[in-house]
Structure formats: structure tokens, C-alpha cells
Amino acid sequence: MKLYMNPVSSTSRPVSLFAAEAGIPLDEIVIDLMTGEHKAPDFVAVNPNGLVPVLNDDGFVLTESSAILKYLAQKTNSPLYPDDLQERARVNEAMDWLNANFYRDFGFNYVYPQIMPHHRRRTDTGNADVVTWGYEKSCEWLSVLDRHFIGPKSDYICLGRLTIADFMGAGIVGLGEVIGFGFSPYPHIMRWLAAMKRLEHWDRVNEAFHRMVAAEAA
């Protein structure tokens, strides 16, 4: 299987991390987002969205990080995507919530307009307004993640154990490190992130991302 990805991408890293932890061999093909390779005709022919990640499993092409995680988990019968109908629904619920609610405001309305020129609004005032809006909404979502999804008795987002939702969530929530976001008001999130960072392959998979964080802080 081939995975078109970028090692700093918040949607690529969850797939790479899950595959590494599960022992799933992937041929990772790095797409350089900084040079616009994801918009080049050759890549757009693979994914018309011009986004990473993309999985190619012997000609079966699949986009979207959430879908790829579910596909790989089902293909390998991973217990991290349980067969039980209601347990699987809880995992799906958490992943949909992360994509539809949290990532929209934390990623696209708060973090990205601060660090990515192509996500900035047309005026400085407009950009400042959207960042403020994104921050306020993100704090609301973080409270939900902290108190409702994780809570005081678990180290994970749902079911009280590690699932593919945690891989997806860690990639998105971890974006906050790029701008030095303080998670101290959210102790359950901090405990969950600490648990994820203890995974065997965390440091290797996130090496390029950690370099970016260090560069932003310099």
C-alpha cells in the first residue's frame, strides 16, 4: 500500500502513527506542501482535492484521514476499531466530532491563519477577527473534549481505551504546540496527550513536526 502524505500534516501523521503501531507496512510518498506539489497535475490526478493523505491499496484510492484510518483498521481486523456495533458508533461519533466541530475552529479558524499564508484572510483586521473567533470557539470545544469525551477517569477519547479516534485527535489537537497553545486549563486533555506520546512510534512519526514546532518557537 502507498500513502501519499506529508510528515508535518495534522491529517497525515495520525495515519502514519496508526500504521506504525499496528505493524502495517506502508510505502510513504512525501508530498511537499510548501512547494505546492499537492496542487501539481500529477498529484491532482491522484486526488482531485489536492490534499493529503491519500491511500492507494493496489489501485483502490482512498482520501480523507478518517476514512483511511477506518479502512486500515478494518483491513487488519484491528481491535482499535471494535466490531461491536455500539462501540464502533462511539468511535465514529468521536471522529466525526473532531472533523466537523473541533478541527474547523481550532485548525482553520485559529491555528492555520496564524502560521500559513494561504489561510490568512484578505486583511489584517479580518485575520485578527477570525483568529479571535477561532480561539473562543476552540476553547468551547476543548472543554467538551476535556470533560465529556475524555473525562477524569480515562486516558482516551472514548470507550476508556485506545482507539483510532485517539490517533486522529492527537494529530489535530497537537497543532496547538505550533503556536504555543497552553493546555493547562484542560487537565484531562493533557493526560490524554501524555498517554499518546508514550506510544512506541510517537517520536519517530512526529520527528518532522517537532522540528517545525521548534522552528516556530525560535
Side-chain angles (χ1 to χ4, degrees), residues 192-208:
W192 162 67
L193 285 173
M196 293 302 293
K197 290 178 180 182
R198 290 194 294 269
L199 291 175
E200 179 182 356
H201 297 280
W202 177 273
D203 288 337
R204 179 185 64 77
V205 170
N206 288 282
E207 182 180 1

Side-chain angles (χ1 to χ4, degrees), residues 110 175-183 213:
Y110 181 49
L175 274 172
E177 296 182 6
V178 180
I179 58 170
F181 184 85
F183 289 104
V213 170

